[in-house]
Amino acid sequence: MATSSGKDFPIVCVGGSAGGLDAYSRLLRNLPVDLDVAIVIVNHITRFPTRLHEVLPLFTKMPVELITESLVIAPNRVFIIPANRDLHVDEAGEFRLLPISKPRGWPDVITVFLRSLTEHWNGQIVAVIVSGYDGDGAAALRGIKEVGGITIAQKPETATQPDMPETAIASGFIDFVLSPEDIAKELRTIPRTRPL
């Protein structure tokens, strides 16, 4: 596939929490390196620095990067949210990191990032909700659908902790309920652009 430029390639946000590593590794192991999408893993980590950028390269040949302020979003890469930050995108196609807006209770970093994508990303948006506690991400799924995005929940029986995908499914705005391996298959078929 040809490499896209600008902000017209798809972004796949994979949001998770407890048990997320199992889902991320199963998903990445089954994705081709030249899918021409950016994979952004938004995981709940608030107390300690994340190590996902050190662990996940074991499961993919795509570069895996810990997100830093103003990092340019590019396809065929895996990006990892740092601990204790809200993640946004801006009009220039760069990541923005802000202090976490919900420092107590269950984080809502997935919801925050998905809402930012609906406002600032021109390419296709795919929201994938995998294993985790609580229901982060579910509140943003309607907005993803309203801009022509695609929504996927991990099949609860394949998740270490099914709360997060179950909450996403209960929202009524999920297109597909799949195992991580089948999510990878579905991502191979996603359209390159958002519908007008």
Side-chain angles (χ1 to χ4, degrees):
M1 292 182 189
T3 301
S4 299
S5 60
K7 294 177 8 180
D8 57 349
F9 55 88
I11 281 190
V12 178
C13 170
V14 185
S17 183
L21 177 58
D22 174 69
Y24 308 145
S25 60
R26 290 164 62 190
L27 172 64
L28 291 175
R29 190 183 286 127
N30 289 280
L31 281 179
V33 298
D34 60 349
L35 193 57
D36 220 18
V37 306
I39 307 290
V40 183
I41 294 180
V42 182
N43 190 69
H44 286 178
I45 298 179
T46 55
R47 296 186 181 181
F48 306 102
T50 183
R51 296 189 60 214
L52 286 174
H53 60 295
E54 299 170 1
V55 175
L56 291 178
L58 298 172
F59 305 100
T60 179
K61 294 191 183 305
M62 285 186 280
V64 179
E65 297 182 62
L66 184 65
I67 295 168
T68 55
E69 178 68 13
S70 301
L71 181 66
V72 175
I73 305 166
N76 301 320
R77 293 179 177 271
V78 180
F79 299 97
I80 310 294
I81 189 175
N84 211 33
R85 291 289 182 269
D86 276 352
L87 180 63
H88 299 261
V89 296
D90 67 12
E91 295 84 358
E94 298 177 352
F95 287 113
R96 293 286 176 240
L97 294 169
L98 296 174
I100 196 163
S101 55
K102 192 178 175 189
R104 300 186 187 281
W106 294 108
D108 61 356
V109 290
I110 303 167
T111 296
V112 167
F113 181 61
L114 289 175
R115 286 178 172 160
S116 178
L117 286 177
T118 64
E119 294 173 9
H120 300 299
W121 193 254
N122 294 332
Q124 180 62 276
I125 302 169
V126 183
V128 180
I129 306 297
V130 299
S131 179
Y133 290 112
D134 197 46
D136 189 13
L141 296 175
R142 179 175 184 167
I144 295 293
K145 295 298 299 169
E146 287 175 347
V147 298
I150 298 166
T151 55
I152 304 173
Q154 182 177 359
K155 188 180 290 187
E157 55 267 36
T158 70
T160 304
Q161 176 45 250
D163 287 6
M164 199 175 283
E166 285 176 345
T167 303
I169 294 165
S171 75
F173 296 105
I174 286 291
D175 294 313
F176 303 99
V177 178
L178 304 167
S179 69
E181 293 79 8
D182 286 338
I183 293 171
K185 290 179 185 175
E186 186 61 36
L187 292 180
R188 295 168 185 251
T189 71
I190 62 173
R192 300 294 96 191
T193 57
R194 278 159 58 170
L196 298 176

